Amino acid sequence: MNNYEINKNTIAIIPINAEKTKVYEKNKNFYVFKNSIKIIKDSCNFFGSSYDGRVDGTKSMININSKVPIIIEELNEIIFFPTASPRVEDCHWISLKHVDKLEKNGLKTKILFKNGQELNLNVSYGSLENQLLRATRLQSIMRDRKIA
């Protein structure tokens, strides 16, 4: 598959190499022949904004400058957070709404998703927990602004 837009069933975008990404969805996993940041950028465009615009919006909303979570689509609250700098090839993107909990697994961290899938990442628990909290803060501000 070459074309893919993130949707409410997308759980994670996992880079395999510069030209191939594994997509985890609620009921299936598959490969897309496009790098992970391109999927993120194309999905932002699909929903009417640029990736850079989404990043700038997050920066102004939660006052951070690195490893910025982004709102892919507002109505369904599709928010993804990166596990590393998006500039590195090994940056995974995780959907906030599908995360159930994190578990320490030695030097790695296991993400447990609400549908029962698991993902072991070579990322510290503290770093992933921080990313999860940033994404949750972004979601909270977004919800508050919808109500106001």
Side-chain angles (χ1 to χ4, degrees), residues 3 11 13 16-17 20-23 26 35 54 81 89 100-101 105 118 120 124 127 129 133 137-138:
N3 287 327
I11 293 173
I13 304 292
I16 302 301
N17 58 41
K20 187 176 178 184
T21 299
K22 186 170 186 180
V23 174
K26 279 171 74 168
N35 69 34
R54 296 291 191 192
F81 61 90
E89 190 176 301
D100 186 30
K101 63 183 176 178
N105 189 10
E118 299 176 357
N120 273 301
S124 75
S127 178
E129 182 179 49
L133 291 172
R137 190 162 153 238
L138 177 62

Side-chain angles (χ1 to χ4, degrees), residues 5-26:
E5 276 83 31
I6 291 169
N7 60 72
K8 63 184 178 181
N9 294 315
T10 311
I11 293 173
I13 304 292
I14 309 302
I16 302 301
N17 58 41
E19 298 160 1
K20 187 176 178 184
T21 299
K22 186 170 186 180
V23 174
Y24 286 70
E25 283 196 347
K26 279 171 74 168

Side-chain angles (χ1 to χ4, degrees), residues 109-130:
T109 305
K110 182 188 295 185
I111 302 176
L112 300 160
F113 295 103
K114 292 176 182 173
N115 71 343
Q117 288 193 72
E118 299 176 357
L119 192 57
N120 273 301
L121 298 179
N122 195 15
V123 179
S124 75
Y125 181 87
S127 178
L128 266 183
E129 182 179 49
N130 187 50

